[in-house]
Amino acid sequence: MTAPLHLLIVDDHPVVRVGMAQLLRTQREGCEVSEADSLPAAQVLLARRPDVALVVLDVHLPGLAPLQALQQLRAEWPLLPVLLMSADSDPLLAMRALDGGAAGWLPKSADVGVLFGALELVLAGGCYLPPFLLQRSTDLPDEALTQRQAEVLAELVKGRSNKEIARELGMGEPTVKGHLVTIFRILRVRNRAEAALAGQARLASMRF
């Protein structure tokens, strides 16, 4: 991560929110951390501060369905990465979140090293997959890529950026990012480099 960096933590539990914010401020020089205890508070802050680079969002906010806040933020700020944070280890909910555009699922039990690693990964354009999801995935059959996902993966393998992929395939950058998150999950990888390597083998086995 490179300075300056502005993060937003959205969690209704003060101990979790304030503790994480303080940790980030003290462990990373020049890191600005804003806090919100609800979705409306987060929306107000994001409207005022377009420099927020990443949102760390509690999955279970009072009065909202588990992924409702994610859906709202993705609709209003489609290019803003949202890393979900939860004590829940439901693999189906986590996969739904990733397919819905979350940039990762961070267990609240994660230690400091995992937290900072997840943040760096997401800020670099990757997707953080929790161990419980990776372990479960090894027991599942391979999930097929859709035609559009395969086209996005093919462009990624060529080394093209999200902007270049969007231009080449005639889609918006938010759509490209959404496809990439799903591709990372299906290929069981965490970043573009791993996806490019795994994608070469996957694409070779597909017919276009």
Side-chain angles (χ1 to χ4, degrees):
M1 294 185 287
T2 57
L5 177 65
H6 186 187
L7 306 178
L8 170 61
I9 299 174
V10 186
D11 195 308
D12 63 301
H13 295 96
V15 173
V16 175
R17 186 182 69 250
V18 174
M20 178 176 288
Q22 185 63 23
L23 175 67
L24 291 170
R25 292 186 188 111
T26 57
Q27 295 293 319
R28 205 266 187 191
E29 185 178 355
C31 180
E32 180 179 358
V33 184
S34 293
E35 303 172 35
D37 61 2
S38 66
L39 176 60
Q43 291 169 311
V44 169
L45 188 142
L46 288 171
R48 292 200 319 256
R49 295 294 304 270
D51 61 326
V52 172
L54 170 66
V55 175
V56 181
L57 174 68
D58 185 11
V59 173
H60 298 287
L61 291 175
L64 299 175
L67 303 183
Q68 189 174 346
L70 168 68
Q71 293 164 354
Q72 191 66 39
L73 292 179
R74 291 286 298 157
E76 296 181 34
W77 292 275
L79 293 178
L80 180 62
V82 179
L83 175 62
L84 292 182
M85 178 175 59
S86 178
D88 198 330
S89 58
D90 180 354
L92 294 179
L93 183 60
M95 286 191 290
R96 280 178 52 210
L98 296 172
D99 287 342
W105 183 286
L106 179 68
K108 285 191 174 180
S109 59
D111 61 27
V112 175
V114 171
L115 168 63
F116 278 90
L119 292 175
E120 290 186 19
L121 180 62
V122 171
L123 288 167
C127 177
Y128 180 76
L129 302 180
F132 74 82
L133 194 55
L134 288 171
Q135 291 165 1
R136 183 177 182 274
S137 295
T138 60
D139 298 328
L140 296 176
D142 285 342
E143 184 177 344
L145 294 169
T146 65
Q147 182 69 26
R148 205 56 166 160
Q149 289 164 355
E151 292 170 356
V152 170
L153 179 58
E155 297 302 316
L156 182 148
V157 169
K158 295 174 185 175
R160 290 186 169 142
S161 66
N162 288 2
K163 183 177 293 186
E164 292 169 332
I165 294 173
R167 184 169 58 245
E168 181 69 21
L169 299 181
M171 62 176 68
E173 280 191 68
T175 303
V176 172
K177 291 188 70 173
H179 281 314
L180 287 176
V181 169
T182 302
I183 289 168
F184 287 174
R185 180 182 64 76
I186 291 174
L187 297 183
R188 303 165 193 167
V189 299
R190 294 187 174 183
N191 55 49
R192 297 175 77 91
E194 291 179 2
L197 289 174
Q200 293 177 33
R202 177 63 70 96
L203 292 172
S205 66
M206 297 177 64
R207 292 182 179 179
F208 290 88

